[in-house]
Amino acid sequence: MSVHIDVAWKSLNKKGEELCGDKVVTVRTADSTIAVLADGLGSGVKANILATLTSTICATMVREGASVADVVSTIVNTLPVCSVRKVAYATFSILEIKDSGEGYLAEFDNPFCIYIRDGKRMEFKCEYNEYSGKGVYETRFQALPGDVITIVSDGVIYAGVGESLNFGWTWEHVVKWLLNATALEMSAPRLAAALSDTVNDLYMKKPGDDSTVLVAEVTAHKVVNMLAGPPKDKADDERMVRDYMRSPGKKVICGGTSANIVARVLNRKIRTSLTYSDPSIPPIGFIEGVDLVTEGVLTLTRTLDILQEYCEKDADSYYFHRIDEENGASMLARMFLEDCTHLKLFIGTAINPAHQNPNLPADLSIKLKLIDRLAELMVKLGKRVDKTYY
């Protein structure tokens, strides 16, 4: 059984700081996903630099197959120890899950990971080992689809201390919150945003410490097939549609011309929605056997803007209210972000004169450039992308 790991995180900077003292780094190899959360001592620029160095060293060395002993040794010999507190300058958690579900977790001085399966917190046997004088807890496990693994920095479990709560939120409260939230079957991006928003509320919007939430959700593979653009040779219409329909997974069509080709080849009718939740976005259509039919360039451009915003900014709960809107762009973005691990693009290369910019060479299509940008964003989101041109 092969699984996909959907990773999302969100950080809150300590009040008054421009940089966060926590850092998350994720790496995807040919057969595994690696996620590291490092927490630099203190806050601000120094903590950010130390957390960045620590997380980068951890992720890079694990990707190259180094042992945790070598990782710790490298960090100990690279970063100094605080002369006042006599403690390491950065703590860290390393999570690696292979596509087979084989998992490994190493934790050094961060709050313990919260592992939820079937509505219950899982407790796996862990080993305590010392490397270069530093104590590390190591856990090996077998991940299953539906499992949710959450790693937090200590700013999360101390949320509200001295403000809304006398002694902070505590690790046990975070566990209880996650048990309730995962019962709602939230995606990893929604869960990370919702937990971070709760932490921010407990701090009364003025975080007393850098606070980071990292969520890794184990899922089965979810394929989305998207057809966009007519083939260069009209004789390839039927071949393109047949390839597209035979590919397992959800079906999306982007563009009126593309929808007409599919409807003609399959001998099915197109119905157009009369609902306009956003008048600036053309309405969606319906074809039997296809999950979503949208207009082309305008809808795809807005979809890319929505996905770009997620990649560039810390998405909060309001962001997800927006992608829940019933318009073509929001529906596409929601499907790509939350219900897709593998995007298969069936791309027609005929040039539509209506989409041409007179300042660009004649062989550049706006839609083709948009599709390339979509592929780049999806890879950035940790999705696999395959392209087939016609």
Side-chain angles (χ1 to χ4, degrees):
M1 178 189 66
S2 179
V3 299
H4 174 83
I5 312 304
D6 193 10
V7 180
W9 69 90
K10 185 176 178 184
S11 294
L12 299 172
N13 297 3
K14 181 179 179 180
K15 176 190 172 186
E17 298 290 353
E18 293 187 9
L19 295 175
C20 185
D22 302 336
K23 182 69 175 180
V24 172
V25 171
T26 62
V27 175
R28 293 187 187 268
T29 70
D31 66 348
S32 71
T33 299
I34 301 163
V36 179
L37 190 162
D39 182 354
L41 183 67
S43 59
V45 176
K46 182 181 75 173
N48 176 268
I49 292 172
L50 294 168
T52 300
L53 284 170
T54 299
S55 56
T56 303
I57 290 170
C58 288
T60 302
M61 292 188 69
V62 171
R63 180 188 63 196
E64 298 301 321
S67 68
V68 70
D70 291 337
V71 173
V72 174
S73 176
T74 300
I75 291 172
V76 167
N77 291 313
T78 301
L79 303 181
V81 171
C82 176
S83 58
V84 177
R85 305 186 196 182
K86 304 298 181 184
V87 295
Y89 263 119
T91 63
F92 62 81
S93 299
I94 303 171
L95 175 68
E96 180 179 22
I97 304 179
K98 296 186 179 297
D99 292 350
S100 63
E102 179 184 347
Y104 170 77
L105 177 67
E107 300 172 290
F108 170 58
D109 277 3
N110 269 346
F112 285 119
C113 154
I114 301 167
Y115 198 119
I116 295 175
R117 173 182 293 170
D118 295 331
K120 299 178 182 178
R121 185 177 73 83
M122 300 293 291
E123 294 187 57
F124 295 104
K125 182 180 179 181
C126 67
E127 295 182 0
Y128 176 83
N129 297 302
E130 287 197 4
Y131 303 112
S132 302
K134 305 300 178 185
V136 178
Y137 289 92
E138 296 179 84
T139 307
R140 298 186 185 278
F141 56 90
Q142 184 65 34
L144 299 175
D147 290 358
V148 177
I149 304 159
T150 305
I151 299 171
V152 300
S153 63
D154 58 8
V156 172
I157 62 174
Y158 295 133
V161 64
E163 295 283 349
S164 56
L165 299 171
N166 288 333
F167 302 106
W169 202 20
T170 78
W171 184 84
E172 289 76 13
H173 286 126
V174 179
V175 172
K176 184 177 180 180
W177 187 96
L178 283 167
L179 289 171
N180 290 330
T182 53
L184 302 176
E185 298 184 352
M186 291 187 187
S187 64
R190 283 182 196 260
L191 190 60
L195 178 52
S196 185
D197 286 353
T198 300
V199 170
N200 201 22
D201 288 342
L202 289 169
Y203 275 124
M204 301 176 71
K205 313 295 185 184
K206 300 176 181 178
D209 193 8
D210 300 305
S211 304
T212 297
V213 173
L214 187 160
V215 176
E217 181 184 15
V218 185
T219 72
H221 288 276
K222 295 178 285 189
V223 178
V224 172
N225 302 280
M226 176 174 142
L227 185 146
K232 191 171 186 179
D233 186 344
K234 186 175 175 58
D236 286 330
D237 284 3
E238 186 168 337
R239 180 170 66 90
M240 181 182 188
V241 174
R242 297 299 178 197
D243 290 348
Y244 166 74
M245 293 303 295
R246 286 171 183 161
S247 179
K250 291 194 171 183
K251 303 290 192 294
V252 174
I253 299 173
C254 191
T257 303
S258 305
N260 284 325
I261 290 172
V262 172
R264 173 171 52 79
V265 171
L266 298 180
N267 194 26
R268 297 173 187 174
K269 293 183 178 180
I270 302 175
R271 294 186 297 109
T272 302
S273 171
L274 299 178
T275 302
Y276 283 82
S277 67
D278 185 337
S280 68
I281 301 173
I284 63 172
F286 304 92
I287 297 177
E288 181 186 349
V290 177
D291 296 278
L292 181 61
V293 180
T294 75
E295 179 273 340
V297 169
L298 292 175
T299 301
L300 191 54
T301 299
R302 182 68 70 88
T303 299
L304 294 178
D305 290 343
I306 294 170
L307 294 176
Q308 185 73 42
E309 182 179 349
Y310 178 83
C311 290
E312 291 182 350
K313 301 178 181 178
D314 286 331
D316 56 14
S317 296
Y318 176 71
Y319 173 88
F320 291 98
H321 286 309
R322 286 177 47 227
I323 70 168
D324 284 339
E325 293 176 359
E326 292 301 313
N327 62 69
S330 293
M331 294 167 76
L332 269 180
R334 185 166 70 244
M335 184 181 292
F336 291 151
L337 180 63
E338 299 190 292
D339 204 23
C340 174
T341 66
H342 184 176
L343 177 62
K344 291 186 177 182
L345 294 167
F346 297 80
I347 307 166
T349 56
I351 301 300
N352 185 338
H355 296 164
Q356 283 304 110
N357 184 326
N359 298 318
L360 295 176
D363 61 344
L364 286 181
S365 162
I366 290 177
K367 183 177 284 187
L368 290 178
K369 292 178 73 67
L370 290 173
I371 292 172
D372 285 343
R373 185 179 161 208
L374 170 64
E376 292 173 3
L377 283 172
M378 292 296 281
V379 170
K380 191 173 182 179
L381 289 167
K383 321 292 186 179
R384 180 180 168 189
V385 178
D386 290 334
K387 298 178 183 177
T388 304
Y389 292 94
Y390 296 85

